[in-house]
């Protein structure tokens, strides 16, 4: 085993307002406790949440926060009481470190990293996805692309939307059976042949929710994960939810138990669930990575290589 470092580097959001306030700093590495492991972070990926925290438009986040919640890495030290992990194990983080199983609560939420939305959790809620279901994913960002891949791996039919025909080509290659350019077809919610879909992966928020409610079938599910778009209409959200018995479910995080099941799905379907990486930035290019996320030109995940 290699020697354990006593110092590391990290980015700190010195002041909420813009990602340009990210500063690289030296930091000490705490001694590994008996029930802990020390992980060398190899890479992190960005979420829209990370951008929102830097802007101050997300309810979690403050000056001095170390950003990002998604990481992959390697165990380099193991506490004497740890039996599950060993030196050299490849690991990735769960969004809330204390969310092991079941529902979350206010105390668990306080253990969230970087302050992820969970695409797998969106499809495995009160009514789990099954083969033959139809899933509508909005856009081609990280959550939407993972939802597309997980749905395909589960045997569902996927409809993907985007404002870019080039991005829709990528969605088709990943298994989407139907594609819609919402710039060319602004009434995209009417493209479900009057039947409606079983699930909508709703990442737009108030600007797209009315159309998502129209696109889902009676008793269908709308998983609300993002808030990228703003509402410019006077749409009534409540009436269709009631009259069509729609389950509108907020998706914030998922427990470790679901995280384990997600990885089983990935391992069982490696070709269909290989992560789509749009671009990899170096550790010194963290600000540029945030700028690329802000541009919304990406398909899939934006990654920062740490070590």
């Amino acid at each position: 085993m290699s020697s354990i470092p006593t110092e590391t580097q990290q980015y700190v959001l010195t002041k909420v307002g813009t990602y340009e306030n990210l500063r690289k700093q030296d930091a000490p590495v705490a001694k590994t406790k008996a029930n802990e492991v020390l992980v060398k972070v190899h890479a992190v990926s960005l979420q829209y949440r990370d951008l929102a925290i830097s802007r101050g438009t997300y309810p979690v986040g403050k000056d001095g926060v170390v950003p990002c919640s998604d990481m992959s890495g390697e165990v380099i030290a193991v506490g004497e009481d740890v039996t599950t992990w060993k030196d050299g194990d490849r690991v990735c983080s769960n969004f809330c470190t204390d969310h092991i199983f079941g529902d979350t609560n206010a105390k668990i939420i306080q253990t969230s990293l970087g302050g992820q939305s969970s695409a797998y959790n969106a499809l495995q809620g009160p009514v789990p996805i099954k083969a033959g279901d139809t899933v509508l994913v909005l856009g081609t960002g990280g959550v939407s692309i993972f939802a597309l891949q997980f749905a395909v791996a589960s045997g569902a039919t996927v409809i993907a939307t985007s404002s870019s025909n080039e991005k829709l080509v990528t969605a088709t290659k990943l298994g989407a059976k139907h594609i819609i350019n919402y710039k060319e077809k602004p009434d995209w919610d009417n493209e479900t042949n009057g039947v409606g879909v079983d699930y909508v992966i709703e990442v737009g928020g108030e600007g797209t929710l009315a159309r998502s409610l129209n696109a889902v079938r009676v008793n269908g599910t709308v998983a609300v994960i993002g808030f990228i778009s703003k509402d410019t209409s006077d749409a009534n959200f409540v009436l269709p939810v009631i009259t069509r018995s729609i389950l509108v479910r907020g998706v914030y995080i998922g427990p470790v138990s679901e995280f384990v099941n997600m990885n089983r799905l990935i391992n069982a379907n490696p070709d269909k669930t290989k992560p789509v990486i749009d671009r990899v930035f170096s550790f010194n290019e963290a600000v540029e990575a945030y700028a690329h996320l802000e541009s919304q030109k990406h398909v899939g995940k934006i990654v920062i290589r740490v070590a």
Side-chain angles (χ1 to χ4, degrees), residues 79-232:
E80 59 186 20
D81 292 341
V82 175
T83 58
T84 306
W85 305 103
K86 63 182 184 301
D87 183 48
D89 279 347
R90 297 169 62 190
V91 295
C92 47
S93 59
N94 194 59
F95 178 72
C96 277
T97 56
D98 285 357
H99 194 191
I100 308 303
F101 59 85
D103 293 335
T104 187
N105 55 48
K107 186 177 180 180
I108 288 174
I109 289 174
Q110 292 303 311
T111 68
S112 64
L113 298 171
Q116 168 193 101
S117 303
S118 171
Y120 185 78
N121 188 17
L123 297 172
Q124 296 295 328
V127 185
I129 190 175
K130 63 183 182 301
D133 283 346
T134 304
V135 179
L136 171 64
V137 298
L138 305 189
T140 53
V143 170
S144 297
I145 289 294
F146 269 123
L148 186 163
Q149 292 177 291
F150 292 152
V152 169
S154 300
T157 298
V158 177
I159 304 170
T161 72
S162 176
S163 62
S164 164
N165 288 327
E166 183 179 356
K167 291 181 179 180
L168 289 173
V169 170
T170 300
T172 301
K173 292 179 179 178
L174 292 172
K177 296 297 184 183
H178 308 283
I179 54 175
I180 302 172
N181 186 315
Y182 61 78
K183 291 292 186 182
E184 298 173 359
K185 295 181 178 179
D187 296 333
W188 49 266
D189 49 313
N190 293 323
E191 297 292 318
T192 57
N193 297 323
V195 178
V197 300
D198 297 290
Y199 290 86
V200 179
I201 306 302
E202 171 54 81
V203 299
E206 60 182 1
T208 53
L209 182 56
R211 293 194 181 278
S212 292
L213 294 173
N214 188 49
V216 75
R217 66 168 172 83
V218 174
N219 288 306
T221 299
V222 177
V224 183
I225 302 179
F227 52 99
I228 296 174
S229 62
K230 301 301 180 183
D231 186 20
T232 57

Side-chain angles (χ1 to χ4, degrees), residues 6 26 30 36 53 58 78 91 169 174-175 182 213 225-226 229 232 244 276 301 304:
T6 58
D26 294 330
E36 293 179 338
I53 286 175
Y58 198 81
V78 180
V91 295
V169 170
L174 292 172
Y182 61 78
L213 294 173
I225 302 179
S229 62
T232 57
R244 298 176 55 233
V276 177
K301 299 300 292 186
I304 299 174

Side-chain angles (χ1 to χ4, degrees), residues 8-15 18-27 41 44 46 50 53-54 62-69 114-115 281-290 303-307:
T8 187
Q9 286 191 320
Q10 63 187 18
Y11 274 96
V12 173
L13 184 65
T14 56
K15 184 174 179 57
T18 171
Y19 56 82
E20 293 182 355
N21 290 332
L22 286 168
R23 297 291 183 271
K24 190 167 58 174
Q25 298 179 356
D26 294 330
V41 177
V44 299
L46 295 182
D50 300 315
I53 286 175
S54 72
K62 58 185 179 180
D63 295 350
V65 70
V66 178
C68 296
S69 60
F281 290 82
S282 71
F283 190 64
N284 291 329
E285 297 174 315
V287 172
E288 290 87 341
Y290 271 75
V303 171
I304 299 174
R305 183 181 290 111
V306 178

Side-chain angles (χ1 to χ4, degrees), residues 219-283:
N219 288 306
T221 299
V222 177
V224 183
I225 302 179
F227 52 99
I228 296 174
S229 62
K230 301 301 180 183
D231 186 20
T232 57
S233 70
D234 56 356
N236 186 326
F237 299 121
V238 178
L239 192 59
V241 173
I242 296 173
T243 59
R244 298 176 55 233
S245 300
I246 298 171
L247 172 61
V248 179
R249 177 173 176 252
V251 178
Y252 179 50
I253 57 177
V256 170
S257 58
E258 283 191 9
F259 193 67
V260 171
N261 288 335
M262 178 191 73
N263 282 289
R264 291 180 64 188
L265 177 67
I266 292 172
N267 288 330
N269 299 271
D271 294 336
K272 295 179 180 178
T273 57
K274 183 179 179 180
V276 177
I277 307 299
D278 181 89
R279 187 173 169 186
V280 178
F281 290 82
S282 71
F283 190 64

Side-chain angles (χ1 to χ4, degrees), residues 46-51 281 288-298 302:
L46 295 182
Q47 307 242 20
Y48 183 78
R49 171 182 181 267
D50 300 315
L51 181 62
F281 290 82
E288 290 87 341
Y290 271 75
H292 189 53
L293 176 65
E294 184 178 48
S295 74
Q296 296 188 24
K297 295 179 180 178
H298 62 289
I302 297 168

